[in-house]
Amino acid sequence: MNSNAKQIKYQLMWQRLAAIVEEQAQVLLRTAFSAIVRECSDLSAGVFDTHGQMLAQAVTGAPGHVNTMAESVQHFLSKYPLDEMQPGDVFITNDPWKGTGHLNDFVVVTPCFLHGRPVALFCATSHVMDIGGLGFGPDGTDIHMEGLFIPLLKLFSSGTVNETFMDMLRANTRQPLETVGDTYALAACNDVACERLQEMMSEFELYSLEDLSSYILESSRAAMLDAVRQLPEGSSTYCMTIDGYDQPIDLVATLTVSRDGIMLDYAGTSPISSHGINVPICYATAYSVFGLACAVASEIPNNSGSLSVFTVSAPKGCVLNALPPAPVSTRHVIGQMLPDVVFGCLRQIIPERVPAEGASCVWLLNLRGETQDASRGRYGFTLGFTSNGGTGARSGIDGLSATAFPTNLNGTPVEIAETQAPLIFWRKELREGSGGAGRTRGGLGQVIEVQSTCDKTFEILASFDRIKHPPRGRDGGGNGAAGFIGLSSGRLLAGKGGQEIPAGERLMIHTPGGGGIGDPKRRLPAHVAIDLADGLLTEEQARNLYGSEPVALA
């Protein structure tokens, strides 16, 4: 076979791997019990070679899961050597430092066998809404308060489920049906992926993935290195201040570009918090390299080869490298800010490729309470309602409104949420004028109002940011609107921590808008007119923000 034909064959097989892991993710999406997985795609799926190197990931899924998963498989192989695994074995953990950064994500790994030999591993992760403890919020002061900690262990041995583990799991969650169901869904999606890989290898007459793995990893690394070498060499530093739990937190990064790759160091970042907003280094790395890949070469596939070009470090004991037993339940609040910090560094090198600051972290409404009905009697509920703010403006185009970035979770449909819990959503709409003004404006946030449908209080386990420190505009662009949480009575609520919503009161949520880029006076009048026509601005806001009378559309 000549070299061109061989390369075409490798490319075809690479695309098949991508299709297999996408089916793996879709199986998980369609069999999961929890709405945050089914409706919001809070999951990831991928295939790994026998050395634990990620070859392909599903498009469906969150970057924080995907890029932590790239390290997780190595941890499993360290404890369970591949030559000791058997067909039908399945492994599980939610160790924050060997998984995705907090206890509410399960990581499940399954070895794939062909003709009795292990040829690959499949890994899948998904969020579970309740794993015991204080619940999914930042109030814990160590990891032991945050729920059931699952070390790396066997979920199945040669096809037989670990019933002792399952009993422990049921006894340590407020939602045993959903949590156990999601665990089986994770194992099932890996099984389907194993079947598809076996079919592919038989079709291409493969007995090993070693040669294909080398091709994928080497070509991906070479492509990413080539993209990095197009950048000017040197260092840049950026600092972003966010709300924190009880005091502001500084996220400080120094980015260094060389011919060997990009190094990112978080020296100077604030120390760990006493509450559960801290970030294990695996999660900090995951979102940092995601930001780098987006800006440097977004078209290059994400795998262990392309990721190897980036190096991330942070001082031990800082908020981005929290060590056990630090509380880390809502690590996403800070971790999802890191692409904005990365973009702040890259703005000094490639400003045309990076946006202004955005809402960044997802605004996840963790709602909990009790109700009763004739068939079930009195029972508790836990709902994770995903909402998003606006992204920052880009150099040539406005930011996206009510859009998840850097995570890519879908917003929870109101119709689904109202079937899951005794709640009614009175409003869920775009927040007028919340995008930072500029030549290109930031995306808009949302206004959400929710109330209990019964005569009972309910609780929010708040984990929001950008309330005291809104997303910043750049190059003369305005800041995005700050976030807000309060009650219809006018009482303000804290951005973080468990708080009760009295019966009859409405919970009011305003998610942040994204920052703008450039002088607002340079925004095209026609674009202001379109915003007015679309209800994104009021006439008063148009005058105040853009300094001229609104222009009517022709």
Side-chain angles (χ1 to χ4, degrees):
M1 183 183 296
N2 63 44
S3 60
N4 287 339
K6 189 174 184 180
Q7 186 171 1
I8 291 171
K9 184 176 181 180
Y10 279 144
Q11 286 292 141
L12 288 172
M13 291 190 290
W14 191 352
Q15 291 301 313
R16 280 288 291 274
L17 288 183
I20 287 169
V21 293
E22 191 58 42
E23 182 177 358
Q24 179 190 5
Q26 291 300 318
V27 171
L28 177 54
L29 193 75
R30 298 177 186 187
T31 58
F33 281 50
S34 298
I36 197 168
V37 182
R38 290 197 325 269
E39 306 296 334
C40 305
S41 303
D42 198 356
L43 59 90
S44 69
V47 59
F48 296 72
D49 67 14
T50 53
H51 304 290
Q53 300 174 104
M54 185 168 70
L55 303 181
Q57 57 141 111
V59 174
T60 302
H65 286 175
V66 168
N67 289 340
T68 52
M69 187 174 68
E71 293 187 18
S72 293
V73 174
Q74 299 283 350
H75 294 300
F76 281 100
L77 288 175
S78 294
K79 182 173 181 180
Y80 299 99
L82 192 68
D83 58 7
E84 296 179 8
M85 294 183 183
Q86 300 296 321
D89 285 351
V90 181
F91 306 89
I92 188 170
T93 191
N94 70 345
D95 183 331
W97 290 271
K98 295 179 180 178
T100 74
H102 69 178
L103 298 177
N104 285 79
D105 288 333
F106 285 4
V107 182
V108 172
V109 171
T110 304
C112 179
F113 288 78
L114 184 69
H115 307 307
R117 295 177 57 249
V119 292
L121 299 111
F122 284 94
C123 183
T125 67
S126 70
H127 186 92
V128 295
M129 274 311 302
D130 189 273
I131 194 62
L134 294 175
F136 183 38
D139 291 321
T141 56
D142 65 36
I143 190 68
H144 307 293
M145 298 176 70
E146 295 184 331
L148 179 66
F149 192 121
I150 304 168
L152 282 75
L153 53 77
K154 279 190 176 182
L155 177 61
F156 286 81
S157 293
S158 300
T160 301
V161 69
N162 184 340
E163 292 290 0
T164 301
F165 167 73
M166 285 299 188
D167 288 343
M168 288 286 293
L169 186 61
R170 290 186 188 94
N172 283 277
T173 173
R174 299 172 182 86
Q175 295 182 295
L177 178 65
E178 291 87 347
T179 304
V180 170
D182 288 341
T183 303
Y184 278 113
L186 284 160
C189 79
N190 284 357
D191 284 347
V192 170
C194 286
E195 292 176 11
R196 296 295 179 266
L197 180 63
Q198 291 161 352
E199 293 168 1
M200 170 200 150
M201 294 182 70
S202 296
E203 179 181 335
F204 285 95
E205 298 181 344
L206 296 176
Y207 297 94
S208 166
L209 293 181
E210 291 295 317
D211 290 344
L212 178 58
S213 172
S214 296
Y215 174 79
I216 290 172
L217 299 178
E218 290 170 9
S219 58
S220 298
R221 177 177 170 80
M224 187 62 80
L225 262 180
D226 183 62
V228 169
R229 289 169 180 169
Q230 306 305 310
L231 305 178
E233 294 186 40
S235 297
S236 56
T237 299
Y238 191 72
C239 176
M240 189 169 79
T241 302
I242 59 175
D243 299 354
Y245 188 94
D246 47 14
Q247 59 184 0
I249 286 174
D250 290 330
L251 303 175
V252 182
T254 299
L255 181 146
T256 302
V257 179
S258 72
R259 289 189 57 78
D260 297 324
I262 295 179
M263 295 180 61
L264 190 69
D265 181 51
Y266 287 107
T269 291
S270 296
I272 63 169
S273 169
S274 58
H275 290 85
I277 59 172
N278 301 297
V279 188
I281 189 64
C282 60
Y283 193 79
T285 299
Y287 269 106
S288 298
V289 299
F290 174 70
L292 287 169
C294 284
V296 174
S298 60
E299 73 283 359
I300 295 174
N302 191 65
N303 54 52
S304 291
S306 56
L307 291 175
S308 68
V309 175
F310 307 128
T311 304
V312 178
S313 62
K316 290 182 178 179
C318 82
V319 74
L320 297 179
N321 191 358
L323 303 177
V328 293
S329 179
T330 57
R331 87 300 190 230
H332 66 281
V333 175
I334 293 178
Q336 290 176 12
M337 298 286 185
L338 298 182
D340 267 352
V341 180
V342 170
F343 295 156
C345 292
L346 291 173
R347 166 186 165 187
Q348 301 161 52
I349 304 171
I350 45 173
E352 71 284 352
R353 295 198 208 173
V354 296
E357 293 179 8
S360 300
C361 66
V362 63
W363 276 50
L364 179 60
L365 279 65
N366 295 305
L367 306 175
R368 190 168 70 186
E370 283 191 348
T371 188
Q372 62 183 43
D373 62 28
S375 61
R376 297 177 63 181
R378 184 176 177 181
Y379 67 95
F381 69 86
T382 301
L383 174 70
F385 185 87
T386 303
S387 63
N388 302 292
T391 70
R394 292 157 285 175
S395 293
I397 192 170
D398 295 337
L400 301 172
S401 297
T403 299
F405 184 86
T407 187
N408 60 348
L409 302 185
N410 301 326
T412 307
V414 166
E415 297 83 357
I416 297 296
E418 290 181 343
T419 66
Q420 302 288 308
L423 301 170
I424 183 168
F425 285 76
W426 291 101
R427 293 176 71 188
K428 187 176 186 289
E429 59 193 44
L430 291 179
R431 183 183 176 191
E432 285 184 345
S434 57
R439 177 177 47 81
T440 53
R441 64 157 173 76
L444 277 65
Q446 300 179 72
V447 176
I448 299 169
E449 293 183 18
V450 59
Q451 182 180 8
S452 173
T453 60
C454 55
D455 188 26
K456 288 183 178 295
T457 64
F458 64 99
E459 185 179 15
I460 182 166
L461 306 179
S463 53
F464 307 135
D465 212 283
R466 300 291 206 189
I467 294 173
K468 298 177 182 176
H469 298 84
R472 292 176 294 183
R474 72 176 224 222
D475 302 332
N479 293 344
F484 169 86
I485 174 173
L487 301 179
S488 52
S489 63
R491 180 163 68 92
L492 294 179
L493 297 181
K496 295 181 177 70
Q499 296 153 95
E500 284 193 347
I501 315 302
E505 286 264 31
R506 293 187 188 181
L507 173 65
M508 318 282 283
I509 298 288
H510 296 178
T511 66
I517 293 180
D519 184 353
K521 303 297 192 298
R522 295 183 58 200
R523 185 167 177 79
L524 294 176
H527 290 175
V528 178
I530 291 171
D531 285 350
L532 277 167
D534 289 343
L536 308 183
L537 284 173
T538 65
E539 291 191 6
E540 181 181 2
Q541 288 170 338
R543 282 190 292 269
N544 292 339
L545 295 172
Y546 296 100
S548 61
E549 291 297 319
V551 177
L553 288 175

